[in-house]
Amino acid sequence: QVQVVESGGGLVQAGQSLMLSCTVSGLTFEDFAMAWFRQAPGKEREGLSCISGSGRSTNTADSVKGRFTISRDNAKSTIYLQMNNLNTEDTAMYYCAATRAYWPGSLGLAQSTYNYWGQGTQVTVSS
């Protein structure tokens, strides 16, 4: 049984940083590309960043490029999302997802690419 568990969310002030973690079990982690998504109230779920099974390839949405960085540690079956210079528009539920594709390429930020999802971790940024 595949489990995807996010952690690290919380309440921060604008301008601060936060690192999210996502630990996966029940699959061969290094064979799966991973991604972070977020969904704010009343908005569609947005793909933020994805990373290949090896960690050598990444793709990050323009909306967060330069502020958010994805990484992974295959020895720990964990991916991370380092978020810097947060602002109130970053307030959302953040989700981690896994796909059977080693590297989905241009489809890496599409929800339909991903087979397994976590329950999410809430990030709230106050002004």
Side-chain angles (χ1 to χ4, degrees), residues 36-115:
W36 287 100
F37 290 77
R38 70 183 178 187
Q39 188 167 19
K43 294 188 177 181
E44 294 187 353
R45 192 168 293 190
E46 173 190 17
L48 300 175
S49 193
C50 61
I51 188 166
S52 65
S54 66
R56 285 192 287 268
S57 298
T58 62
N59 183 21
T60 299
D62 288 343
S63 60
V64 298
K65 194 171 290 184
R67 296 192 302 123
F68 289 13
T69 303
I70 192 171
S71 61
R72 67 189 293 160
D73 183 342
N74 285 352
K76 296 182 178 180
S77 296
T78 299
I79 68 166
Y80 305 95
L81 185 68
Q82 176 65 45
M83 304 185 294
N84 297 329
N85 193 24
L86 288 160
N87 59 62
T88 56
E89 293 184 351
D90 295 318
T91 294
M93 185 71 79
Y94 284 70
Y95 298 92
C96 173
T99 177
R100 296 187 186 97
Y102 184 78
W103 175 239
S106 61
L107 298 178
L109 298 183
Q111 290 186 63
S112 59
T113 297
Y114 294 87
N115 310 106

